[in-house]
Amino acid sequence: MRYMMLIYTTEGDRSAMPPEEVQQICESHSAVMDETRRRGMLVAVNGLGRTNTATTVRVENGKILATDGPFAETKEQLAGYYVLDCADLNEAIAWAARIPTACGGSKGSIEIRQLGEFPGVPESLLKPHPMAVNVSND
C-alpha cells in the first residue's frame, strides 16, 4: 500500500535557526530518504515552496478565481511530502515518526493518507522510482 506522509510545520524565519539545527534536519531527512530508497519503498519526496508562493484556484459560475496564498488559515503549513510503499498503516506510522517536521522553523506533525489508484489511468499507478529498484536489487 502506498501512503503519502504530509509534513506540516509552522513557518518561521529559517535564517534565525541555528546552523547545527538546520544541518541536523537535513541529515535526518537524508537518512529517511536513503533507507527507504535502499529498501525500495521510496516512491516520491519533495519539499514545497513557502505559503507566500501558493496560489489557490476556484471556479465560480464558470469564472476562474486565483487567489494568492493557501486555501485555509492554519497554524501549521504544508511543507512537503513523502510517498512510501509500506506493508500497512503500522509501518507507515513507524516511518512517519522518523520524518523531521521542524523544517519551517518549529516542530510540526505528519499526516498519513493512503493513496488510491485509478483504473485505466497509468499516471496514478504509483511505482517506486527506478533508482530505488536498482539500489534495492544490488
Side-chain angles (χ1 to χ4, degrees):
M1 288 181 258
R2 288 165 182 92
Y3 292 92
M4 179 173 274
M5 284 44 167
L6 300 165
I7 304 167
Y8 287 94
T9 189
T10 302
E11 287 183 351
D13 183 2
R14 287 188 274 194
S15 65
M17 292 174 69
E20 52 278 354
E21 185 177 348
V22 172
Q23 181 67 26
Q24 190 274 328
I25 291 167
C26 290
E27 289 173 2
S28 295
H29 276 293
S30 291
V32 172
M33 287 184 269
D34 290 346
E35 187 169 348
T36 56
R37 183 182 301 114
R38 183 179 56 75
R39 292 177 183 221
M41 301 170 59
L42 184 62
V43 177
V45 60
N46 288 99
L48 300 177
R50 300 193 45 99
T51 56
N52 64 352
T53 67
T55 301
T56 298
V57 176
R58 293 181 180 82
V59 177
E60 293 182 13
N61 299 321
K63 289 188 172 189
I64 298 171
L65 303 171
T67 308
D68 290 341
F71 173 72
E73 290 293 322
T74 61
K75 291 183 180 182
E76 294 180 333
Q77 293 77 38
L78 184 59
Y81 67 90
Y82 284 72
V83 176
L84 300 180
D85 193 359
C86 300
D88 54 31
L89 180 59
N90 289 330
E91 185 177 26
I93 290 169
W95 280 107
R98 294 182 57 181
I99 298 171
T101 61
C103 29
S106 180
K107 294 244 183 237
S109 61
I110 305 291
E111 178 181 341
I112 300 172
R113 301 261 189 110
Q114 186 174 349
L115 296 179
E117 295 179 349
F118 300 109
V121 181
E123 294 83 1
S124 82
L125 303 178
L126 301 171
K127 296 173 182 64
H129 189 279
M131 184 175 170
V133 173
N134 291 336
V135 171
S136 66
N137 291 334
D138 291 344

